[in-house]
């Protein structure tokens, strides 16, 4: 009766998820114990085909039974003949022997189940070692287990999936930009804070972000990059605008109409020299070193969404206004496609955009390129 579908659709979906989860979990548990592999897709196909014919009759949903499977495994059953024998014994009990078990207490049946579940219950002894290995995964396991045991299995699986997703989201929020240095014997770059004896390039900073850049962490990416570089272009532009406005106001107040043109020209040159020197001094004071280029290692960035592409575009534009060139290195195909579709590379009139769309396969190539653009190329210094 198709009119009953809206009433049973939600329960049917929950039963399907729980049945598949139990089947695959038991299969993988015994596969690990007995040394063979399990294909989850094959298990899903098998469950689906086993439920097609019984769905036209008054049959229960086909799935692996936890207690029955453990009992059979503990008694040494290995083939499907055990299922036929179990069905015949169960039929015999229901039709003939049932009156003999009428007065049997439920605690006896509970003991039988617990004895056969001792292998699964021994998993609780692994909690201390699991906690030492990874506290986050152990917490997810405990939350899922407690919800499934105290409430119901469907809600337990849902809570487990949601908690796992939140933990993954939280890990991407905690990722930080790392400054890299070059090894002395080869062109290999690693984190400066993790290794000693790495070399850095004067005027060139190399950074790596070990997480995808998307809408939830794009602000944190920019903030972490600016903090690691020691130069926030947004704040620096604001300071420069205030400085220029202040100089303009001081020039208007200090202007005297009785001075001749030569004095005015000399004063203007002096003011311009002082302004340029002050701007350079502000940039150098803001950063511990004078930067002219930034190289971003994208090898650990798995993907970019629209917000991530916009974040990189803002970084490129903000630093370009300060005269600092930003280049990307070691981008995978997915990141390159996202940058191309998101309009990261500016297209100028009368130009095919080849120079603007340069992509570097290694960090060393990117560093050599930006160093070639600098008029004063310096040697590396050890850090």
């Amino acid at each position: 009766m198709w009119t009953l579908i809206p009433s049973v659709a939600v329960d049917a979906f929950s039963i399907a998820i729980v049945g598949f989860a139990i089947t695959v979990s038991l299969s993988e548990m015994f596969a690990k114990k007995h040394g063979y592999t399990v294909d989850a897709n094959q298990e899903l196909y098998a469950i689906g085909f086993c439920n097609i014919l019984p769905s036209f009759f008054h049959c229960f949903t086909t799935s692996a039974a936890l207690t029955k499977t453990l009992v059979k495994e503990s008694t040494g059953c290995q083939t499907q003949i055990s299922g036929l024998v179990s069905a015949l014994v169960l039929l015999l009990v229901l039709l003939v022997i049932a009156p003999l078990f009428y007065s049997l207490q439920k605690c006896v049946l509970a003991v039988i189940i617990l004895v056969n579940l001792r292998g699964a219950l021994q998993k609780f002894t692994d909690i201390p070692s699991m906690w030492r290995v990874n506290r986050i995964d152990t917490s997810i396991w405990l939350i899922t287990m407690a919800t499934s045991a105290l409430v119901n299995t469907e809600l337990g699986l849902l809570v487990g999936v949601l908690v796992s997703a939140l933990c993954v989201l939280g890990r991407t929020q905690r990722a930080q930009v790392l400054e890299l240095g070059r090894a002395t014997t080869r062109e290999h770059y690693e984190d400066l804070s993790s290794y000693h004896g790495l070399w850095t390039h004067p005027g060139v900073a190399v950074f790596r972000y070990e997480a995808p850049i998307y809408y939830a962490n794009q602000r944190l990416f920019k903030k972490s990059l600016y903090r690691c570089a020691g130069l926030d272009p947004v704040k620096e532009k604001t300071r420069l605008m205030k400085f220029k406005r202040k100089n303009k106001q001081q020039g208007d107040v200090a202007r005297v109409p009785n001075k001749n043109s030569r004095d005015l020209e000399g004063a203007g040159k002096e003011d311009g020299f002082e302004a340029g020197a002050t701007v350079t001094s502000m940039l150098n004071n803001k950063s511990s070193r004078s930067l002219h280029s930034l190289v971003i290692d994208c090898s650990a960035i798995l993907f970019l969404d629209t917000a991530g592409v916009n974040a990189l575009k803002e970084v490129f534009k903000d630093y370009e206004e300060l005269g600092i060139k930003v280049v990307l290195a070691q981008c995978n195909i997915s990141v390159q496609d996202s940058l191309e579709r998101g309009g990261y590379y500016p297209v100028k009139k009368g130009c095919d955009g080849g120079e603007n769309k340069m992509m570097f396969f290694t960090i060393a190539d990117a560093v050599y390129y930006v160093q070639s653009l600098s008029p004063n190329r310096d040697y590396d210094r050890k850090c």
Side-chain angles (χ1 to χ4, degrees):
M1 297 177 62
W2 293 102
T3 56
L4 298 177
I5 294 299
S7 302
V8 300
V10 177
D11 294 333
F13 182 78
S14 301
I15 291 173
I17 296 297
V18 172
F20 176 71
I22 293 177
T23 302
V24 174
S25 299
L26 288 174
S27 302
E28 292 180 350
M29 183 174 67
F30 291 123
K32 182 178 180 181
K33 182 177 180 180
H34 297 285
Y36 60 89
T37 59
V38 173
D39 187 0
N41 291 330
Q42 184 180 2
E43 296 292 329
L44 183 60
Y45 284 131
I47 295 174
F49 286 124
C50 289
N51 283 304
I52 290 177
L53 185 61
S55 64
F56 294 96
F57 304 95
H58 297 282
C59 298
F60 288 106
T61 304
T62 303
S63 178
L66 178 62
T67 55
K68 193 174 181 179
T69 303
L70 292 172
V71 169
K72 287 188 175 184
E73 194 274 337
S74 61
T75 55
C77 298
Q78 296 182 356
T79 64
Q80 297 297 331
I81 301 298
S82 61
L84 179 60
V85 174
S86 299
L88 294 176
V89 172
L90 184 60
L91 183 63
L92 180 65
V93 170
L94 292 176
L95 298 179
V96 180
I97 315 177
L100 300 178
F101 294 95
Y102 178 77
S103 59
L104 190 64
Q105 297 180 357
K106 292 184 178 180
C107 60
V108 177
L109 300 177
V111 169
I112 297 175
I113 295 174
L114 288 176
V115 169
N116 290 279
L117 284 177
R118 64 184 183 274
L121 295 176
Q122 287 177 353
K123 293 292 183 181
F124 286 96
T125 60
D126 298 336
I127 293 178
S129 59
M130 293 169 56
W131 182 263
R132 288 190 296 267
V133 173
N134 194 317
R135 296 184 178 182
I136 296 178
D137 292 342
T138 307
S139 300
I140 296 173
W141 187 87
L142 291 174
I143 292 173
T144 306
M145 182 274 300
T147 308
S148 301
L150 300 178
V151 186
N152 56 57
T153 308
E154 295 90 342
L155 184 60
L157 290 175
L158 178 61
V159 170
V161 172
L162 293 179
V163 173
S164 299
L166 291 176
C167 289
V168 173
L169 182 62
R171 291 177 182 178
T172 60
Q173 298 294 312
R174 295 174 57 186
Q176 298 293 326
V177 173
L178 304 176
E179 185 174 2
L180 308 182
R182 187 176 68 87
T184 56
T185 57
R186 52 181 177 170
E187 294 181 345
H188 182 70
Y189 289 79
E190 283 297 340
D191 181 18
L192 288 175
S193 61
S194 301
Y195 297 91
H196 298 287
L198 298 178
W199 294 71
T200 59
H201 306 277
V204 180
V206 183
F207 301 103
R208 175 188 296 159
Y209 189 67
E210 298 182 340
I213 305 176
Y214 60 109
Y215 70 95
N217 67 347
Q218 50 94 11
R219 291 183 179 273
L220 296 175
F221 161 72
K222 293 191 297 182
K223 186 183 298 184
S224 179
L225 177 62
Y226 296 160
R227 181 173 61 252
C228 191
L231 179 62
D232 190 336
V234 178
K235 294 182 179 179
E236 197 64 37
K237 285 191 297 183
T238 304
R239 293 177 59 192
L240 291 177
M241 293 177 61
K242 291 182 179 179
F243 174 77
K244 292 180 181 179
R245 192 181 304 114
K246 182 179 180 181
N247 281 348
K248 183 177 180 180
Q249 293 176 357
Q250 290 178 352
D252 294 339
V253 173
R255 183 176 299 136
V256 180
N258 294 328
K259 286 190 175 182
N260 54 25
S261 58
R262 181 176 298 178
D263 294 337
L264 288 174
E265 183 179 357
K269 290 182 179 179
E270 292 177 357
D271 292 341
F273 175 78
E274 292 178 357
T278 307
V279 170
T280 305
S281 176
M282 290 169 62
L283 289 173
N284 291 335
N285 291 335
K286 184 69 177 175
S287 178
S288 60
R289 55 186 172 177
S290 178
L291 294 178
H292 61 77
S293 302
L294 294 180
V295 178
I296 300 179
D297 177 19
C298 301
S299 59
I301 300 177
L302 299 179
F303 66 88
L304 295 172
D305 66 352
T306 304
V309 175
N310 291 334
L312 289 176
K313 291 167 64 176
E314 293 174 5
V315 169
F316 179 85
K317 180 180 178 182
D318 292 341
Y319 276 117
E320 187 180 32
E321 293 179 355
L322 295 180
I324 299 176
K325 188 173 183 60
V326 178
V327 296
L328 306 179
Q330 300 189 138
C331 298
N332 59 41
I333 300 299
S334 175
V335 172
Q336 293 182 29
D337 293 341
S338 299
L339 293 174
E340 186 75 24
R341 293 193 300 266
Y344 173 79
Y345 304 102
V347 179
K348 299 180 181 179
K349 294 183 178 180
C351 179
D352 59 356
E355 183 178 358
N356 297 327
K357 295 184 180 181
M358 294 186 66
M359 186 62 59
F360 299 95
F361 292 100
T362 64
I363 301 176
D365 293 339
V367 172
Y368 291 154
Y369 171 75
V370 296
Q371 283 182 334
S372 65
L373 300 178
S374 178
N376 297 323
R377 181 173 177 177
D378 298 325
Y379 293 98
D380 298 344
R381 61 185 178 89
K382 193 173 183 179
C383 179

